[in-house]
Amino acid sequence: MESKIEELEEIIGYKFKDKSLLELALTHSSYSNDQKKGKMHNNERLEFLGDAVLELTSSEVLFHEYREKTEGELTRLRASLVCEPTLADCAREIHLGDYLLLSHGEDRTGGRNRDSVISDAFEALIGAIYLDGGYNSSKTFIKKYVLNDIENKQLFFDSKTILQELLQKDYKERVEYVLTREYGPDHDKHFAVDAVFRHRVIGSGEGTTKKRAEQQAAYEAILKIRK
């Protein structure tokens, strides 16, 4: 485990003074249950803390960087950045799933790539960095991995709404999302969806949920329209 911890530290660019905090952040409840380590020896409490640190940091950064936005606009923007799918993508960027401690059952059923599991672990990692290095260290990590490419993240999160608004300027018809393919085992399903407007495919997307596939299809359509 020590070499894995050092490897992850290298990826995220932060060295822990207390390595046990990082190990705890990587410990899923299924693993602690499997190892009979007790219900407190998992990353859930760190996730609770990390969620609060993430909310504060994102609120502070957005408040200063988007001075022209109203409270409602800032709230929607923050929601797009701290939602489960976005955090899962952030976790995949640092290959966090590869380093998690999971039970054999959780691992076998796709836990390492499940949005809920890796997004929770990502928040736990933020909590661990906060405890180990303080607010500024956690803020640096959040700015690097969450509060980057903000416009594109918001565009993807709100893609279906934005696409409909773009098209309704000139047309009254609604975009339809058509499931074209469903594949993979039950624990790791993937979906392919086309965004169809006026009987024409204007975007295609894939994802681990139908909603994610629809968002990807809408996002692709928006990029085409903007070009």
Side-chain angles (χ1 to χ4, degrees):
M1 188 61 189
E2 190 176 331
S3 63
K4 297 283 279 185
I5 281 178
E6 290 176 358
E7 195 175 295
L8 182 56
E9 286 178 325
E10 194 68 34
I11 291 172
I12 66 175
Y14 179 80
K15 295 284 185 184
F16 277 81
K17 295 183 281 292
D18 183 355
K19 308 290 185 186
S20 67
L21 280 170
L22 178 53
E23 185 171 345
L24 188 61
L26 300 173
T27 303
H28 188 255
S29 57
S30 66
Y31 181 85
S32 59
N33 292 338
D34 212 32
Q35 300 294 313
K36 296 182 171 51
K37 292 196 172 189
K39 62 182 181 180
M40 302 294 282
H41 195 80
N42 59 55
N43 62 12
E44 290 175 355
R45 282 167 51 83
L46 281 175
E47 176 209 337
F48 165 80
L49 178 61
D51 176 67
V53 175
L54 175 60
E55 182 119 343
L56 173 61
T57 302
S58 56
S59 299
E60 180 193 342
V61 172
L62 295 178
F63 178 84
H64 289 297
E65 290 194 8
Y66 293 88
R67 296 177 183 274
E68 77 291 351
K69 289 190 182 294
T70 65
E71 179 268 343
E73 290 171 327
L74 288 172
T75 298
R76 287 192 294 275
L77 179 53
R78 184 182 62 197
S80 70
L81 297 171
V82 302
C83 66
E84 182 181 287
T86 300
L87 294 182
D89 287 342
C90 295
R92 290 187 182 99
E93 186 181 341
I94 59 174
H95 308 287
L96 189 59
D98 295 345
Y99 300 93
L100 298 184
L101 293 170
L102 305 172
S103 69
H104 292 302
E106 186 68 31
D107 199 359
R108 194 168 56 250
T109 55
R112 289 191 189 281
N113 199 42
R114 191 173 298 126
D115 280 8
S116 59
V117 172
I118 60 176
S119 64
D120 287 352
F122 190 82
E123 287 185 318
L125 177 57
I126 291 170
I129 293 173
Y130 172 77
L131 288 178
D132 189 73
Y135 179 65
N136 285 336
S137 295
S138 59
K139 182 177 178 179
T140 298
F141 176 82
I142 291 167
K143 288 179 74 173
K144 182 177 180 181
Y145 290 109
V146 182
L147 303 178
N148 60 338
D149 201 18
I150 291 175
E151 282 73 19
N152 260 328
K153 283 177 177 172
Q154 184 188 25
L155 179 60
F156 182 80
F157 180 78
D158 292 330
S159 57
K160 291 174 68 177
T161 302
I162 293 169
L163 177 60
Q164 193 63 50
E165 289 173 350
L166 280 172
L167 294 171
Q168 278 187 334
K169 288 178 183 177
D170 301 307
Y171 309 98
K172 291 185 178 177
E173 297 98 324
R174 294 192 66 80
V175 179
E176 291 182 53
Y177 294 93
V178 180
L179 181 66
T180 59
R181 191 178 170 217
E182 185 177 328
Y183 60 96
D186 287 341
H187 67 266
D188 192 24
K189 282 283 186 189
H190 280 72
F191 303 88
V193 167
D194 284 342
V196 179
F197 185 71
R198 306 189 100 192
H199 310 293
R200 186 165 63 90
V201 175
I202 58 174
S204 298
E206 293 193 20
T208 53
T209 66
K210 289 179 185 176
K211 183 180 178 181
R212 292 268 276 176
E214 288 171 358
Q215 285 177 308
Q216 185 64 49
Y219 180 72
E220 183 181 284
I222 293 167
L223 296 181
K224 286 180 181 177
I225 291 169
R226 286 187 170 180
K227 282 182 181 178

